[in-house]
Each structure stands twice: as structure tokens, then as C-alpha cells.
Amino acid sequence: MGRRIPFWRTGFHLRLVQMGCTNRPFYHIAAIPRKKLIGRVPDEVIGCFDPMPNERDEKIVAVDLERLAFWLGKGATPSSGVYRLLGLMGFLPVHPQTYAEAWKLRLQKLEKPKQSENDSSE
């Protein structure tokens, strides 16, 4: 028989696992082994993310911070989506992609009034 490798040495990722349906997505933040096939049931769900804004225009994220700290301590690497969520929550440093998107949105907001002024003057 082969020697069993402890679970923390196999390597884990923290990923977003899509649930829900086509028009109403919902994501679980899950700890999944690196070599696990897509579509398999995750080992542990440590949180959830609802990307659809509610009546107050909020997107809901709920995470068990103790389990998150446990998995990060064991060497689990967050995917880019999970890293961005954790950065916005203040648990990890803010992802650079978040800054880039914020600058793009700012520039778009500044350009819209200029375009409307040009359209009205013509």
C-alpha cells in the first residue's frame, strides 16, 4: 500500500463555486484540492457570495473568518476572485485588478459629462 499524504500537503485552493441558475447566480467560497476535477463537491464551504444587488444596491458576502484563517494557514491559495473579495473585506491586501477597475470607472464617469456637453452644444 502507498503512503498516505496529509491533506495539508496536497495543496488546496479557495475558489468560487457557482450555484443557483442562469439568471440568478450564487457562489460558495470553498476549499478544494488543486487536483480535484471541476464539478465535484467541495471539501468545505467557508462562505458565500451573492453578486446580485439587493434593494439597497448591496452585494452580500458572508465568510467564516476562523475557517478562512485555518485554510490560509495550511497554505491554501485563493483564486483571483476570492482574493478580490477578501481584499474588499479588508482581510487581505486589495487586489491590483480592483484598483485598475476603479480607475476605469472614474475615467468613464468623468468622460460622460464631457460627452453630454459636446452633444448639447452641437
Side-chain angles (χ1 to χ4, degrees):
M1 286 194 137
R3 214 168 115 192
R4 261 190 111 162
I5 300 172
F7 73 93
W8 59 85
R9 295 216 179 149
T10 59
F12 277 78
H13 282 300
L14 299 176
R15 296 183 187 165
L16 291 172
V17 179
Q18 185 174 4
M19 306 298 278
C21 57
T22 304
N23 295 325
R24 185 65 177 94
F26 184 84
Y27 297 94
H28 285 269
I29 301 170
I32 300 176
R34 288 187 176 122
K35 295 183 179 180
K36 188 169 267 194
L37 299 174
I38 295 174
R40 302 277 306 270
V41 177
D43 284 5
E44 182 178 359
V45 175
I46 60 171
C48 58
F49 170 56
D50 186 6
M52 301 293 286
N54 61 9
E55 61 272 355
R56 294 184 202 145
D57 204 29
E58 301 169 333
K59 297 178 182 180
I60 307 296
V61 178
V63 178
D64 184 357
L65 295 177
E66 290 179 10
R67 295 306 295 172
L68 176 64
F70 168 80
W71 283 108
L72 291 175
K74 292 294 182 187
T77 56
S79 67
S80 62
V82 172
Y83 194 97
R84 290 169 72 179
L85 284 174
L86 296 177
L88 291 172
M89 287 173 43
F91 195 80
L92 293 176
V94 178
H95 195 275
Q97 185 73 26
T98 306
Y99 287 120
E101 287 182 8
W103 277 108
K104 284 180 186 177
L105 290 174
R106 274 189 205 149
L107 292 175
Q108 287 175 358
K109 285 185 179 181
L110 290 174
E111 290 175 3
K112 281 185 182 179
K114 291 179 184 178
Q115 290 175 354
S116 62
E117 288 173 8
N118 292 338
D119 295 339
S120 62
S121 65
E122 292 177 1

